Amino acid sequence: TNAVEAAQRDGTWADGHPEGFLVAAWALVHGLSTLYTAGRLAGRVPADPALLARQITDLFVDHLPRS
């Protein structure tokens, strides 16, 4: 939670419960990995899992509420 709290203190992210941000990120990563390994994303997203993870993570972070 330290990184989330620091981002909230410096105004990068809006105030709120740090645990909520962490649970959302955790769920995103687990959901993405489950869909990817099950082959449910084949042909819909980049085949490179590192690139896919980066794109999805950036999308998540870029759309977090700002202060």
Side-chain angles (χ1 to χ4, degrees):
T1 59
N2 291 341
V4 173
E5 290 168 344
Q8 290 173 323
R9 274 193 305 276
D10 72 16
T12 302
W13 293 345
D15 290 336
H17 296 287
E19 294 82 10
F21 289 110
L22 295 173
V23 169
W26 190 15
L28 175 76
V29 170
H30 279 271
L32 180 61
S33 63
T34 298
L35 291 168
Y36 186 86
T37 58
R40 301 293 305 262
L41 301 177
R44 298 174 146 183
V45 297
D48 177 10
L51 176 60
L52 174 61
R54 178 83 220 119
Q55 288 177 345
I56 298 299
T57 301
D58 287 348
L59 181 65
F60 176 77
V61 171
D62 290 346
H63 289 87
L64 285 173
R66 305 287 191 248
S67 297

Short mmCIF file of all heavy atoms in Angstrom, two decimals:
data_model
loop_
_atom_site.label_atom_id
_atom_site.label_comp_id
_atom_site.label_asym_id
_atom_site.label_seq_id
_atom_site.Cartn_x
_atom_site.Cartn_y
_atom_site.Cartn_z
N THR A 1 0.81 -1.20 0.00
CA THR A 1 0.00 0.00 0.00
C THR A 1 0.85 1.27 0.00
O THR A 1 0.33 2.34 -0.28
CB THR A 1 -0.95 0.02 1.21
OG1 THR A 1 -0.19 -0.03 2.41
CG2 THR A 1 -1.96 -1.10 1.16
N ASN A 2 2.12 1.15 0.28
CA ASN A 2 2.98 2.34 0.37
C ASN A 2 3.01 3.13 -0.93
O ASN A 2 2.95 4.36 -0.92
CB ASN A 2 4.40 1.95 0.78
CG ASN A 2 4.47 1.45 2.21
OD1 ASN A 2 3.59 1.71 3.01
ND2 ASN A 2 5.52 0.72 2.52
N ALA A 3 3.13 2.44 -2.06
CA ALA A 3 3.20 3.13 -3.35
C ALA A 3 1.89 3.84 -3.65
O ALA A 3 1.88 4.97 -4.16
CB ALA A 3 3.55 2.15 -4.46
N VAL A 4 0.78 3.21 -3.34
CA VAL A 4 -0.53 3.83 -3.58
C VAL A 4 -0.69 5.05 -2.68
O VAL A 4 -1.11 6.12 -3.13
CB VAL A 4 -1.68 2.83 -3.34
CG1 VAL A 4 -3.03 3.53 -3.42
CG2 VAL A 4 -1.61 1.68 -4.35
N GLU A 5 -0.33 4.91 -1.41
CA GLU A 5 -0.45 6.03 -0.49
C GLU A 5 0.44 7.20 -0.93
O GLU A 5 0.04 8.36 -0.83
CB GLU A 5 -0.11 5.58 0.93
CG GLU A 5 -1.18 4.67 1.50
CD GLU A 5 -0.75 3.98 2.79
OE1 GLU A 5 0.47 3.95 3.09
OE2 GLU A 5 -1.64 3.47 3.49
N ALA A 6 1.64 6.90 -1.41
CA ALA A 6 2.54 7.95 -1.89
C ALA A 6 1.94 8.66 -3.09
O ALA A 6 2.01 9.90 -3.20
CB ALA A 6 3.91 7.37 -2.24
N ALA A 7 1.34 7.91 -4.01
CA ALA A 7 0.71 8.51 -5.19
C ALA A 7 -0.49 9.36 -4.79
O ALA A 7 -0.77 10.39 -5.42
CB ALA A 7 0.29 7.42 -6.17
N GLN A 8 -1.18 8.98 -3.74
CA GLN A 8 -2.29 9.79 -3.25
C GLN A 8 -1.78 11.07 -2.58
O GLN A 8 -2.34 12.15 -2.79
CB GLN A 8 -3.15 8.99 -2.28
CG GLN A 8 -3.93 7.89 -2.97
CD GLN A 8 -4.65 6.98 -2.00
OE1 GLN A 8 -4.16 6.67 -0.93
NE2 GLN A 8 -5.84 6.55 -2.40
N ARG A 9 -0.71 10.96 -1.83
CA ARG A 9 -0.15 12.13 -1.15
C ARG A 9 0.36 13.17 -2.15
O ARG A 9 0.18 14.36 -1.96
CB ARG A 9 1.00 11.73 -0.22
CG ARG A 9 0.57 11.31 1.15
CD ARG A 9 1.74 11.23 2.12
NE ARG A 9 2.82 10.38 1.65
CZ ARG A 9 2.88 9.05 1.80
NH1 ARG A 9 1.90 8.41 2.41
NH2 ARG A 9 3.91 8.37 1.35
N ASP A 10 1.01 12.70 -3.23
CA ASP A 10 1.58 13.67 -4.18
C ASP A 10 0.57 14.12 -5.24
O ASP A 10 0.89 14.88 -6.14
CB ASP A 10 2.86 13.14 -4.82
CG ASP A 10 2.66 12.03 -5.84
OD1 ASP A 10 1.53 11.82 -6.33
OD2 ASP A 10 3.65 11.36 -6.18
N GLY A 11 -0.67 13.65 -5.14
CA GLY A 11 -1.72 14.09 -6.04
C GLY A 11 -1.81 13.33 -7.35
O GLY A 11 -2.62 13.68 -8.21
N THR A 12 -0.98 12.30 -7.52
CA THR A 12 -1.04 11.50 -8.75
C THR A 12 -2.37 10.77 -8.84
O THR A 12 -2.98 10.71 -9.91
CB THR A 12 0.12 10.49 -8.79
OG1 THR A 12 1.35 11.20 -8.71
CG2 THR A 12 0.09 9.66 -10.05
N TRP A 13 -2.83 10.22 -7.73
CA TRP A 13 -4.11 9.52 -7.67
C TRP A 13 -4.99 10.17 -6.62
O TRP A 13 -4.51 10.76 -5.65
CB TRP A 13 -3.92 8.05 -7.32
CG TRP A 13 -3.23 7.24 -8.37
CD1 TRP A 13 -3.00 7.59 -9.66
CD2 TRP A 13 -2.65 5.96 -8.20
NE1 TRP A 13 -2.32 6.59 -10.31
CE2 TRP A 13 -2.09 5.58 -9.45
CE3 TRP A 13 -2.54 5.08 -7.14
CZ2 TRP A 13 -1.45 4.37 -9.64
CZ3 TRP A 13 -1.91 3.87 -7.34
CH2 TRP A 13 -1.37 3.52 -8.58
N ALA A 14 -6.28 10.03 -6.82
CA ALA A 14 -7.25 10.60 -5.88
C ALA A 14 -7.18 9.88 -4.54
O ALA A 14 -6.75 8.72 -4.46
CB ALA A 14 -8.66 10.49 -6.46
N ASP A 15 -7.64 10.59 -3.52
CA ASP A 15 -7.74 9.95 -2.21
C ASP A 15 -8.74 8.81 -2.28
O ASP A 15 -9.63 8.78 -3.12
CB ASP A 15 -8.21 10.97 -1.16
CG ASP A 15 -7.15 12.01 -0.86
OD1 ASP A 15 -5.96 11.73 -1.08
OD2 ASP A 15 -7.52 13.10 -0.41
N GLY A 16 -8.59 7.91 -1.38
CA GLY A 16 -9.47 6.75 -1.30
C GLY A 16 -8.78 5.67 -0.50
O GLY A 16 -7.73 5.90 0.10
N HIS A 17 -9.38 4.52 -0.48
CA HIS A 17 -8.81 3.40 0.26
C HIS A 17 -7.73 2.74 -0.59
O HIS A 17 -8.04 2.19 -1.65
CB HIS A 17 -9.89 2.39 0.62
CG HIS A 17 -10.93 2.95 1.54
ND1 HIS A 17 -10.68 3.19 2.86
CD2 HIS A 17 -12.19 3.35 1.31
CE1 HIS A 17 -11.75 3.70 3.43
NE2 HIS A 17 -12.69 3.82 2.49
N PRO A 18 -6.47 2.77 -0.14
CA PRO A 18 -5.40 2.14 -0.91
C PRO A 18 -5.67 0.67 -1.22
O PRO A 18 -5.34 0.19 -2.30
CB PRO A 18 -4.16 2.30 -0.02
CG PRO A 18 -4.47 3.43 0.88
CD PRO A 18 -5.96 3.40 1.07
N GLU A 19 -6.32 -0.01 -0.29
CA GLU A 19 -6.62 -1.42 -0.51
C GLU A 19 -7.53 -1.62 -1.70
O GLU A 19 -7.42 -2.61 -2.42
CB GLU A 19 -7.23 -2.05 0.75
CG GLU A 19 -6.30 -2.12 1.92
CD GLU A 19 -6.20 -0.81 2.71
OE1 GLU A 19 -7.02 0.11 2.46
OE2 GLU A 19 -5.31 -0.69 3.55
N GLY A 20 -8.42 -0.68 -1.95
CA GLY A 20 -9.32 -0.78 -3.10
C GLY A 20 -8.55 -0.73 -4.41
O GLY A 20 -8.83 -1.49 -5.34
N PHE A 21 -7.58 0.18 -4.50
CA PHE A 21 -6.74 0.25 -5.69
C PHE A 21 -5.98 -1.06 -5.88
O PHE A 21 -5.86 -1.58 -6.98
CB PHE A 21 -5.74 1.40 -5.59
CG PHE A 21 -6.35 2.77 -5.70
CD1 PHE A 21 -6.41 3.60 -4.61
CD2 PHE A 21 -6.84 3.22 -6.92
CE1 PHE A 21 -6.96 4.87 -4.72
CE2 PHE A 21 -7.39 4.49 -7.04
CZ PHE A 21 -7.45 5.32 -5.93
N LEU A 22 -5.44 -1.58 -4.77
CA LEU A 22 -4.64 -2.80 -4.86
C LEU A 22 -5.48 -4.01 -5.26
O LEU A 22 -5.05 -4.81 -6.08
CB LEU A 22 -3.94 -3.06 -3.52
CG LEU A 22 -2.90 -2.01 -3.14
CD1 LEU A 22 -2.38 -2.28 -1.73
CD2 LEU A 22 -1.76 -1.98 -4.13
N VAL A 23 -6.67 -4.12 -4.70
CA VAL A 23 -7.55 -5.24 -5.06
C VAL A 23 -7.96 -5.15 -6.52
O VAL A 23 -7.98 -6.16 -7.24
CB VAL A 23 -8.78 -5.30 -4.13
CG1 VAL A 23 -9.82 -6.28 -4.65
CG2 VAL A 23 -8.36 -5.69 -2.71
N ALA A 24 -8.24 -3.94 -6.99
CA ALA A 24 -8.62 -3.77 -8.40
C ALA A 24 -7.47 -4.19 -9.32
O ALA A 24 -7.68 -4.89 -10.32
CB ALA A 24 -9.03 -2.33 -8.67
N ALA A 25 -6.25 -3.77 -8.99
CA ALA A 25 -5.09 -4.13 -9.80
C ALA A 25 -4.85 -5.64 -9.75
O ALA A 25 -4.54 -6.26 -10.78
CB ALA A 25 -3.85 -3.38 -9.33
N TRP A 26 -4.98 -6.22 -8.59
CA TRP A 26 -4.77 -7.66 -8.41
C TRP A 26 -5.79 -8.44 -9.24
O TRP A 26 -5.45 -9.39 -9.95
CB TRP A 26 -4.89 -7.99 -6.94
CG TRP A 26 -4.50 -9.37 -6.53
CD1 TRP A 26 -3.79 -10.30 -7.23
CD2 TRP A 26 -4.79 -9.97 -5.28
NE1 TRP A 26 -3.62 -11.43 -6.48
CE2 TRP A 26 -4.23 -11.25 -5.28
CE3 TRP A 26 -5.47 -9.54 -4.14
CZ2 TRP A 26 -4.33 -12.13 -4.20
CZ3 TRP A 26 -5.56 -10.41 -3.06
CH2 TRP A 26 -5.00 -11.69 -3.10
N ALA A 27 -7.05 -8.02 -9.16
CA ALA A 27 -8.10 -8.69 -9.93
C ALA A 27 -7.85 -8.57 -11.43
O ALA A 27 -8.05 -9.53 -12.19
CB ALA A 27 -9.46 -8.10 -9.56
N LEU A 28 -7.40 -7.40 -11.86
CA LEU A 28 -7.08 -7.19 -13.27
C LEU A 28 -6.00 -8.16 -13.74
O LEU A 28 -6.14 -8.82 -14.77
CB LEU A 28 -6.63 -5.74 -13.50
CG LEU A 28 -6.17 -5.42 -14.91
CD1 LEU A 28 -7.37 -5.28 -15.83
CD2 LEU A 28 -5.36 -4.15 -14.90
N VAL A 29 -4.93 -8.25 -12.98
CA VAL A 29 -3.81 -9.12 -13.35
C VAL A 29 -4.23 -10.58 -13.36
O VAL A 29 -3.91 -11.33 -14.29
CB VAL A 29 -2.61 -8.89 -12.41
CG1 VAL A 29 -1.53 -9.92 -12.62
CG2 VAL A 29 -2.06 -7.49 -12.60
N HIS A 30 -4.96 -11.01 -12.35
CA HIS A 30 -5.38 -12.41 -12.30
C HIS A 30 -6.39 -12.74 -13.38
O HIS A 30 -6.32 -13.81 -14.00
CB HIS A 30 -5.93 -12.75 -10.91
CG HIS A 30 -4.85 -13.02 -9.93
ND1 HIS A 30 -4.32 -14.26 -9.73
CD2 HIS A 30 -4.15 -12.19 -9.12
CE1 HIS A 30 -3.37 -14.21 -8.83
NE2 HIS A 30 -3.24 -12.95 -8.44
N GLY A 31 -7.31 -11.84 -13.63
CA GLY A 31 -8.27 -12.07 -14.70
C GLY A 31 -7.60 -12.14 -16.06
O GLY A 31 -7.89 -13.02 -16.88
N LEU A 32 -6.69 -11.21 -16.30
CA LEU A 32 -5.96 -11.20 -17.57
C LEU A 32 -5.15 -12.48 -17.75
O LEU A 32 -5.19 -13.11 -18.82
CB LEU A 32 -5.04 -9.98 -17.62
CG LEU A 32 -4.21 -9.81 -18.88
CD1 LEU A 32 -5.11 -9.66 -20.10
CD2 LEU A 32 -3.28 -8.63 -18.74
N SER A 33 -4.43 -12.89 -16.72
CA SER A 33 -3.61 -14.10 -16.84
C SER A 33 -4.47 -15.35 -17.03
O SER A 33 -4.12 -16.23 -17.81
CB SER A 33 -2.68 -14.25 -15.63
OG SER A 33 -3.42 -14.41 -14.45
N THR A 34 -5.61 -15.39 -16.37
CA THR A 34 -6.52 -16.54 -16.53
C THR A 34 -7.05 -16.61 -17.96
O THR A 34 -7.05 -17.68 -18.58
CB THR A 34 -7.68 -16.44 -15.53
OG1 THR A 34 -7.15 -16.48 -14.20
CG2 THR A 34 -8.67 -17.58 -15.72
N LEU A 35 -7.51 -15.49 -18.47
CA LEU A 35 -8.02 -15.46 -19.84
C LEU A 35 -6.93 -15.79 -20.85
O LEU A 35 -7.16 -16.53 -21.81
CB LEU A 35 -8.63 -14.09 -20.15
CG LEU A 35 -9.93 -13.76 -19.42
CD1 LEU A 35 -10.26 -12.29 -19.58
CD2 LEU A 35 -11.06 -14.63 -19.91
N TYR A 36 -5.74 -15.24 -20.63
CA TYR A 36 -4.63 -15.47 -21.56
C TYR A 36 -4.22 -16.93 -21.59
O TYR A 36 -4.11 -17.53 -22.66
CB TYR A 36 -3.44 -14.58 -21.19
CG TYR A 36 -2.32 -14.67 -22.20
CD1 TYR A 36 -2.34 -13.88 -23.33
CD2 TYR A 36 -1.28 -15.57 -22.03
CE1 TYR A 36 -1.33 -13.96 -24.27
CE2 TYR A 36 -0.27 -15.66 -22.97
CZ TYR A 36 -0.30 -14.86 -24.08
OH TYR A 36 0.70 -14.97 -25.02
N THR A 37 -4.01 -17.52 -20.42
CA THR A 37 -3.55 -18.92 -20.38
C THR A 37 -4.62 -19.90 -20.85
O THR A 37 -4.28 -20.98 -21.35
CB THR A 37 -3.06 -19.31 -18.97
OG1 THR A 37 -4.11 -19.12 -18.03
CG2 THR A 37 -1.85 -18.51 -18.57
N ALA A 38 -5.88 -19.51 -20.76
CA ALA A 38 -6.97 -20.38 -21.24
C ALA A 38 -7.17 -20.23 -22.75
O ALA A 38 -7.99 -20.94 -23.33
CB ALA A 38 -8.26 -20.05 -20.51
N GLY A 39 -6.44 -19.30 -23.36
CA GLY A 39 -6.57 -19.10 -24.80
C GLY A 39 -7.78 -18.28 -25.21
O GLY A 39 -8.10 -18.18 -26.39
N ARG A 40 -8.44 -17.66 -24.25
CA ARG A 40 -9.66 -16.91 -24.54
C ARG A 40 -9.39 -15.56 -25.21
O ARG A 40 -10.32 -14.93 -25.71
CB ARG A 40 -10.45 -16.67 -23.24
CG ARG A 40 -10.87 -17.92 -22.49
CD ARG A 40 -11.89 -18.76 -23.23
NE ARG A 40 -13.06 -18.03 -23.60
CZ ARG A 40 -14.20 -18.03 -22.93
NH1 ARG A 40 -14.33 -18.73 -21.84
NH2 ARG A 40 -15.22 -17.32 -23.38
N LEU A 41 -8.14 -15.14 -25.24
CA LEU A 41 -7.80 -13.85 -25.84
C LEU A 41 -7.10 -13.99 -27.18
O LEU A 41 -6.80 -12.98 -27.82
CB LEU A 41 -6.92 -13.04 -24.88
CG LEU A 41 -7.52 -12.76 -23.51
CD1 LEU A 41 -6.52 -12.02 -22.63
CD2 LEU A 41 -8.81 -11.97 -23.63
N ALA A 42 -6.87 -15.21 -27.61
CA ALA A 42 -6.15 -15.47 -28.86
C ALA A 42 -6.80 -14.73 -30.02
O ALA A 42 -8.02 -14.79 -30.21
CB ALA A 42 -6.10 -16.96 -29.14
N GLY A 43 -5.98 -14.01 -30.77
CA GLY A 43 -6.46 -13.27 -31.93
C GLY A 43 -7.11 -11.94 -31.61
O GLY A 43 -7.47 -11.20 -32.50
N ARG A 44 -7.27 -11.64 -30.32
CA ARG A 44 -7.92 -10.39 -29.91
C ARG A 44 -6.95 -9.37 -29.35
O ARG A 44 -7.25 -8.19 -29.31
CB ARG A 44 -8.97 -10.67 -28.84
CG ARG A 44 -10.07 -11.54 -29.30
CD ARG A 44 -10.96 -11.85 -28.13
NE ARG A 44 -12.33 -11.97 -28.57
CZ ARG A 44 -13.34 -12.18 -27.78
NH1 ARG A 44 -13.16 -12.25 -26.49
NH2 ARG A 44 -14.54 -12.30 -28.27
N VAL A 45 -5.82 -9.87 -28.86
CA VAL A 45 -4.84 -9.01 -28.19
C VAL A 45 -3.45 -9.41 -28.65
O VAL A 45 -3.28 -10.46 -29.29
CB VAL A 45 -4.95 -9.16 -26.65
CG1 VAL A 45 -6.31 -8.70 -26.15
CG2 VAL A 45 -4.68 -10.59 -26.22
N PRO A 46 -2.43 -8.63 -28.33
CA PRO A 46 -1.06 -9.01 -28.72
C PRO A 46 -0.71 -10.41 -28.18
O PRO A 46 -1.08 -10.77 -27.07
CB PRO A 46 -0.18 -7.95 -28.06
CG PRO A 46 -1.08 -6.77 -27.85
CD PRO A 46 -2.44 -7.35 -27.61
N ALA A 47 -0.02 -11.18 -28.99
CA ALA A 47 0.37 -12.54 -28.59
C ALA A 47 1.46 -12.53 -27.53
O ALA A 47 1.58 -13.49 -26.76
CB ALA A 47 0.84 -13.34 -29.81
N ASP A 48 2.24 -11.48 -27.46
CA ASP A 48 3.32 -11.38 -26.48
C ASP A 48 2.72 -11.03 -25.12
O ASP A 48 2.17 -9.94 -24.94
CB ASP A 48 4.30 -10.29 -26.92
CG ASP A 48 5.41 -10.05 -25.93
OD1 ASP A 48 5.56 -10.82 -24.96
OD2 ASP A 48 6.15 -9.07 -26.12
N PRO A 49 2.81 -11.92 -24.14
CA PRO A 49 2.17 -11.66 -22.85
C PRO A 49 2.76 -10.45 -22.12
O PRO A 49 2.02 -9.74 -21.43
CB PRO A 49 2.40 -12.95 -22.05
CG PRO A 49 3.48 -13.68 -22.76
CD PRO A 49 3.46 -13.23 -24.18
N ALA A 50 4.04 -10.18 -22.30
CA ALA A 50 4.64 -9.01 -21.64
C ALA A 50 4.06 -7.72 -22.22
O ALA A 50 3.75 -6.77 -21.49
CB ALA A 50 6.15 -9.03 -21.78
N LEU A 51 3.92 -7.67 -23.54
CA LEU A 51 3.33 -6.49 -24.19
C LEU A 51 1.88 -6.32 -23.76
O LEU A 51 1.44 -5.21 -23.45
CB LEU A 51 3.44 -6.62 -25.71
CG LEU A 51 2.78 -5.51 -26.52
CD1 LEU A 51 3.40 -4.15 -26.20
CD2 LEU A 51 2.89 -5.82 -28.01
N LEU A 52 1.14 -7.40 -23.76
CA LEU A 52 -0.26 -7.36 -23.34
C LEU A 52 -0.38 -6.84 -21.91
O LEU A 52 -1.18 -5.95 -21.63
CB LEU A 52 -0.90 -8.74 -23.47
CG LEU A 52 -2.31 -8.88 -22.93
CD1 LEU A 52 -3.27 -7.94 -23.67
CD2 LEU A 52 -2.77 -10.32 -23.03
N ALA A 53 0.41 -7.38 -21.02
CA ALA A 53 0.37 -6.96 -19.61
C ALA A 53 0.68 -5.47 -19.49
O ALA A 53 0.03 -4.75 -18.73
CB ALA A 53 1.34 -7.78 -18.79
N ARG A 54 1.66 -5.00 -20.24
CA ARG A 54 2.05 -3.59 -20.19
C ARG A 54 0.91 -2.71 -20.69
O ARG A 54 0.58 -1.68 -20.09
CB ARG A 54 3.29 -3.36 -21.04
CG ARG A 54 3.73 -1.95 -21.07
CD ARG A 54 4.53 -1.62 -19.95
NE ARG A 54 4.74 -0.65 -19.08
CZ ARG A 54 4.61 -0.63 -17.76
NH1 ARG A 54 4.13 -1.51 -17.09
NH2 ARG A 54 4.95 0.27 -17.01
N GLN A 55 0.30 -3.10 -21.80
CA GLN A 55 -0.80 -2.30 -22.36
C GLN A 55 -1.98 -2.23 -21.40
O GLN A 55 -2.55 -1.15 -21.19
CB GLN A 55 -1.26 -2.89 -23.69
CG GLN A 55 -0.28 -2.67 -24.82
CD GLN A 55 -0.74 -3.32 -26.12
OE1 GLN A 55 -1.64 -4.16 -26.14
NE2 GLN A 55 -0.11 -2.92 -27.22
N ILE A 56 -2.34 -3.35 -20.82
CA ILE A 56 -3.49 -3.38 -19.91
C ILE A 56 -3.19 -2.63 -18.62
O ILE A 56 -4.02 -1.88 -18.11
CB ILE A 56 -3.92 -4.83 -19.63
CG1 ILE A 56 -4.36 -5.52 -20.93
CG2 ILE A 56 -5.01 -4.89 -18.57
CD1 ILE A 56 -5.54 -4.88 -21.62
N THR A 57 -1.98 -2.80 -18.11
CA THR A 57 -1.59 -2.09 -16.89
C THR A 57 -1.58 -0.58 -17.13
O THR A 57 -2.07 0.20 -16.31
CB THR A 57 -0.21 -2.57 -16.41
OG1 THR A 57 -0.28 -3.98 -16.17
CG2 THR A 57 0.21 -1.87 -15.14
N ASP A 58 -1.02 -0.15 -18.27
CA ASP A 58 -1.00 1.27 -18.60
C ASP A 58 -2.42 1.82 -18.70
O ASP A 58 -2.71 2.92 -18.21
CB ASP A 58 -0.25 1.53 -19.90
CG ASP A 58 1.25 1.38 -19.75
OD1 ASP A 58 1.76 1.31 -18.61
OD2 ASP A 58 1.93 1.33 -20.80
N LEU A 59 -3.31 1.07 -19.33
CA LEU A 59 -4.69 1.50 -19.46
C LEU A 59 -5.32 1.68 -18.09
O LEU A 59 -5.99 2.68 -17.82
CB LEU A 59 -5.47 0.46 -20.27
CG LEU A 59 -6.94 0.75 -20.53
CD1 LEU A 59 -7.10 1.98 -21.40
CD2 LEU A 59 -7.60 -0.45 -21.17
N PHE A 60 -5.09 0.74 -17.20
CA PHE A 60 -5.63 0.81 -15.83
C PHE A 60 -5.08 2.04 -15.11
O PHE A 60 -5.84 2.86 -14.58
CB PHE A 60 -5.26 -0.47 -15.08
CG PHE A 60 -5.68 -0.47 -13.63
CD1 PHE A 60 -7.01 -0.70 -13.29
CD2 PHE A 60 -4.76 -0.26 -12.63
CE1 PHE A 60 -7.40 -0.70 -11.95
CE2 PHE A 60 -5.13 -0.27 -11.30
CZ PHE A 60 -6.46 -0.49 -10.96
N VAL A 61 -3.77 2.20 -15.10
CA VAL A 61 -3.14 3.31 -14.38
C VAL A 61 -3.52 4.65 -14.98
O VAL A 61 -3.80 5.61 -14.24
CB VAL A 61 -1.61 3.12 -14.34
CG1 VAL A 61 -0.92 4.36 -13.79
CG2 VAL A 61 -1.25 1.90 -13.51
N ASP A 62 -3.57 4.73 -16.30
CA ASP A 62 -3.90 5.99 -16.96
C ASP A 62 -5.32 6.46 -16.67
O ASP A 62 -5.62 7.64 -16.83
CB ASP A 62 -3.70 5.90 -18.47
CG ASP A 62 -2.23 5.79 -18.86
OD1 ASP A 62 -1.37 6.06 -18.01
OD2 ASP A 62 -1.98 5.42 -20.03
N HIS A 63 -6.19 5.55 -16.26
CA HIS A 63 -7.58 5.93 -16.03
C HIS A 63 -7.99 5.91 -14.56
O HIS A 63 -9.17 6.00 -14.23
CB HIS A 63 -8.49 5.03 -16.87
CG HIS A 63 -8.39 5.36 -18.32
ND1 HIS A 63 -7.44 4.80 -19.12
CD2 HIS A 63 -9.05 6.24 -19.08
CE1 HIS A 63 -7.54 5.29 -20.33
NE2 HIS A 63 -8.51 6.18 -20.33
N LEU A 64 -7.01 5.84 -13.67
CA LEU A 64 -7.31 6.00 -12.24
C LEU A 64 -7.72 7.43 -11.98
O LEU A 64 -7.23 8.36 -12.63
CB LEU A 64 -6.08 5.66 -11.39
CG LEU A 64 -5.76 4.19 -11.25
CD1 LEU A 64 -4.42 4.01 -10.53
CD2 LEU A 64 -6.85 3.46 -10.49
N PRO A 65 -8.63 7.63 -11.05
CA PRO A 65 -9.03 9.00 -10.75
C PRO A 65 -7.87 9.82 -10.23
O PRO A 65 -7.07 9.34 -9.45
CB PRO A 65 -10.11 8.85 -9.69
CG PRO A 65 -10.14 7.43 -9.30
CD PRO A 65 -9.30 6.65 -10.25
N ARG A 66 -7.76 11.04 -10.69
CA ARG A 66 -6.71 11.96 -10.25
C ARG A 66 -7.28 12.93 -9.23
O ARG A 66 -8.48 13.21 -9.23
CB ARG A 66 -6.17 12.76 -11.44
CG ARG A 66 -5.67 11.92 -12.61
CD ARG A 66 -4.35 11.25 -12.27
NE ARG A 66 -3.75 10.65 -13.45
CZ ARG A 66 -3.61 9.34 -13.63
NH1 ARG A 66 -4.06 8.50 -12.75
NH2 ARG A 66 -3.03 8.87 -14.71
N SER A 67 -6.40 13.45 -8.43
CA SER A 67 -6.84 14.45 -7.44
C SER A 67 -7.24 15.74 -8.13
O SER A 67 -6.77 16.08 -9.15
CB SER A 67 -5.71 14.77 -6.48
OG SER A 67 -5.35 13.63 -5.76
#
